[in-house]
Amino acid sequence: MVMRRVGQSATYTLLVFFSLIFLIPIYVLLTTSFKPNSEVDIAHMWALPHHFSLASYSAAWAQLGPNLGNSFYLAIIATVLSSVIGAFNGYALSKWKFPGSNVVFPVILFGMFIPYQSILIPLLKFIQAIHLYNTIPGLILTNTVYGLPITTLIFRNFYAGIPDDLIESAQIDGNGYWGVFMRIMLPLAIPGFVVTGIWQFTSIWNEFLFAVSLTSPPHQPVTVALQNLSGSDVVQWNVQMAGAVLTALPTLIVYILLGRYFIRGLLAGSVKG
C-alpha cells in the first residue's frame, strides 16, 4: 500500500512537472500580451507586467476584428456543410449496398491522404474558373470538399454500429431511404455530429495554406491576418501575442464547452471500424 501511494505520488509529480513545461509558452504569451511595448524585451520575458495594459488587445482587435468575422463565417458554414454531407455519405455507404459501393468509399477516403500542396495549382485554377477566387464562399467550398473524407469516415463507422434490425423495422413501418435516415439514423447520430463539428471547426479555423493562397485582404481569415501583424520593420510583440490569444480563443472555448461530448462521441462509436 505504501509503495503504491509512493508510485502514485511520483506519477502525479511527473505529470504536474511536464504540464508546467507545456504551459510555459502559454505563460509567456499571456504575460507579454498584457505588457506595454516598453516592457517587452528578452531580459524581462519571464517577468509579470509592471503596468497591466489592455492596449495591445485593443490594437490587435482593431486589425483582426473583420478577419475574425471572416473566420466565423467560413468555419461555421463549412463545418455544417461538411458534417451534413458526411452524414449522408456515411449513411449510404454503411447501410445501403449499391453497385460500386465497395469502391466509392476507398476512393473518398483516399482524399484524406492527398497533400494540400499537390492540388493547390489546379484548385486555384478551378476557383478562378467558377469566379470564387478571393471570396469566403470559395474557401467554404474548398474546406467543405476537403473535409468530406474524414466526416464520411466518422459517420460511416458510427452508422455501422447501429443494428440492421432497427432499419428493417423502420422499413416494415413504411419508411423508405429518407424516412429511415430522418427518423432513425439522424437522431442517433448526434454524437457523430459533435465529433465532426469540433474536428472540422478546429481544422478549418486553424487552416492557413488555402486561406493565404485563395484570398487577399479584406477577405482573409484571421490566421492569415495574424501573420500579417508581424509587420515588416518593427514587430510589436505584445500586439502579436494579444492577436494570438484572440485567434485561439474560439477553438479553446469550443473545447471547454464541448470537450466532454467529444470524448463521449468517440466512445459512442464515431471512430470505430
Side-chain angles (χ1 to χ4, degrees):
M1 182 65 72
V2 174
M3 294 301 297
R4 181 179 178 183
R5 289 181 178 177
V6 171
Q8 288 180 340
S9 298
T11 301
Y12 288 136
T13 301
L14 283 174
L15 289 174
V16 170
F17 173 73
F18 286 118
S19 298
L20 291 175
I21 292 178
F22 179 80
L23 291 173
I24 285 175
I26 307 299
Y27 167 80
V28 175
L29 175 75
L30 290 174
T31 55
T32 303
S33 69
F34 290 115
K35 292 177 180 178
N37 196 45
S38 58
E39 294 184 26
V40 180
D41 55 47
I42 295 296
H44 301 92
M45 181 174 64
W46 304 103
L48 292 171
H50 292 297
H51 299 90
F52 187 86
S53 173
L54 293 175
S56 55
Y57 282 90
S58 298
W61 177 261
Q63 298 182 61
L64 298 181
N67 303 98
L68 282 167
N70 291 342
S71 286
F72 276 113
Y73 176 36
L74 162 65
I76 292 173
I77 295 180
T79 296
V80 171
L81 288 176
S82 59
S83 296
V84 171
I85 298 173
F88 292 154
N89 292 345
Y91 170 56
L93 293 170
S94 63
K95 295 303 182 183
W96 295 84
K97 300 300 180 183
F98 54 89
S101 60
N102 293 328
V103 177
V104 172
F105 179 63
V107 170
I108 294 176
L109 200 60
F110 179 71
M112 292 175 57
F113 305 101
I114 300 177
Y116 288 9
Q117 295 84 349
S118 65
I119 54 92
L120 196 57
I121 293 177
L123 172 65
L124 181 61
K125 297 293 185 182
F126 174 75
I127 294 296
Q128 287 176 332
I130 61 175
H131 306 291
L132 289 180
Y133 178 74
N134 197 27
T135 65
I136 296 298
L139 281 180
I140 291 173
L141 175 63
T142 301
N143 284 281
T144 297
V145 172
Y146 224 94
L148 288 180
I150 185 63
T151 59
T152 299
L153 172 65
I154 290 173
F155 277 106
R156 179 185 180 275
N157 291 341
F158 183 85
Y159 290 141
I162 296 176
D164 292 336
D165 294 342
L166 194 61
I167 296 175
E168 292 172 2
S169 299
Q171 290 175 321
I172 292 173
D173 290 337
N175 290 286
Y177 180 90
W178 290 111
V180 172
F181 179 76
M182 297 300 295
R183 294 183 175 90
I184 304 297
M185 308 299 283
L186 194 59
L188 294 176
I190 299 302
F193 277 103
V194 173
V195 173
T196 57
I198 294 176
W199 180 278
Q200 283 296 96
F201 183 86
T202 304
S203 300
I204 295 168
W205 184 274
N206 292 328
E207 197 281 320
F208 181 82
L209 182 60
F210 289 151
V212 77
S213 302
L214 301 180
T215 59
S216 59
H219 304 292
Q220 293 175 324
V222 71
T223 48
V224 181
L226 178 63
Q227 172 63 30
N228 295 337
L229 272 183
S230 60
S232 57
D233 298 322
V234 178
V235 178
Q236 293 182 299
W237 290 109
N238 55 338
V239 177
Q240 186 89 347
M241 297 300 180
V245 173
L246 292 176
T247 302
L249 270 180
T251 52
L252 180 61
I253 292 172
V254 166
Y255 272 106
I256 290 174
L257 296 179
L258 301 177
R260 57 179 177 172
Y261 301 107
F262 182 76
I263 300 300
R264 290 177 187 175
L266 293 177
L267 295 177
S270 296
V271 293
K272 293 193 300 184

